[in-house]
Amino acid sequence: MAEEAHLQVIDRVVQEALDNANLSERDLSAVAVTIGPGLSLCLRVGVRKARKIAGTFSLPIIGVHHMEAHALVARLTEQELQFPFMALLISGGHNVLILARDLGHYVQLGTTIDDAIGEAYDKIAKWLGLDLRRSGGPAIEELAREGDAKSIKFSQKTIFTIHAANTLTSVAKVEVSSFCPVAEGI
């Protein structure tokens, strides 16, 4: 299911990225592609696309670590963010809490011990009978847009601990931990 979803959108996503940068494939000096971690079938879709572009234009390919890219994108959007910083990375099949000390220097402080959030989303979406053509995360996000974001008021900003096991009752369990408040605006 995930590989098919990647195959359906890879060309459009690459073209949108090029369009947003006001570039064409001919303007590139290299091609970066996620090489892991992740679902091998999905990674293969990206690698094939990267190899096609790189081969057509005789460009080098740069392998990118999936979770490192997520951690570093925060520095693109928050210009003042300097090392060291902490990041909670939640991406499909991988959930990790890291301390980013410097470029390429990360300390994993925690991770999930069973299902990652993406797997939990897929199970919950299936249980709710949602459209799974894109995967559970987008299906749940679409449903969430119909909700009222102000219906539950928390007394302080908190870190959420997701407990996801291999049963639907466990997957849906979310524990709110107030032991670690985070800074306002995060």
Side-chain angles (χ1 to χ4, degrees):
M1 175 175 20
E3 178 185 23
E4 181 61 30
H6 281 68
L7 283 168
Q8 289 176 3
V9 300
I10 188 72
D11 292 333
R12 179 175 47 84
V13 167
V14 170
Q15 190 57 55
E16 284 179 14
L18 289 167
D19 291 347
N20 288 340
N22 293 317
L23 297 172
S24 73
E25 291 174 342
R26 293 186 188 285
D27 298 319
L28 301 176
S29 57
V31 179
V33 62
T34 303
I35 57 171
L39 297 171
S40 61
L41 295 172
C42 298
L43 294 171
R44 194 175 353 205
V45 171
V47 170
R48 283 186 189 139
K49 180 67 174 179
R51 289 179 69 186
K52 181 179 177 185
I53 295 170
T56 300
F57 298 98
S58 301
L59 300 172
I61 294 179
I62 300 168
V64 176
H65 187 282
H66 177 196
M67 300 309 285
E68 181 178 27
H70 280 295
L72 294 178
V73 78
R75 295 190 71 214
L76 292 175
T77 60
E78 299 296 328
Q79 300 296 319
E80 286 106 35
L81 182 61
Q82 298 296 317
F83 292 106
F85 63 89
M86 284 180 54
L88 175 60
L89 307 173
I90 301 175
S91 177
H94 301 89
N95 301 335
V96 293
L97 179 63
I98 65 156
L99 172 62
R101 290 192 171 156
D102 204 345
L103 188 60
H105 188 166
Y106 310 96
V107 177
Q108 182 174 305
L109 303 173
T111 187
T112 50
I113 58 173
D114 47 29
D115 286 354
I117 193 66
E119 295 161 327
Y121 282 156
D122 288 346
K123 289 177 183 178
I124 292 168
K126 184 176 180 182
W127 181 56
L128 293 172
L130 301 177
D131 181 359
L132 291 173
R133 283 179 282 178
R134 293 177 294 156
S135 78
I140 291 171
E141 181 178 3
E142 188 174 310
L143 180 63
R145 291 181 195 278
E146 298 173 15
D148 178 3
K150 297 178 182 175
S151 65
I152 298 174
K153 185 172 180 165
F154 292 100
S155 60
Q156 63 179 351
K157 303 273 184 178
T158 60
I159 290 180
F160 291 87
T161 304
I162 306 293
H163 294 280
N166 288 320
T167 64
L168 288 173
T169 54
S170 295
V171 168
K173 178 177 153 188
V174 178
E175 176 184 304
V176 180
S177 303
S178 61
F179 66 88
C180 189
V182 295
E184 289 294 322
I186 293 180

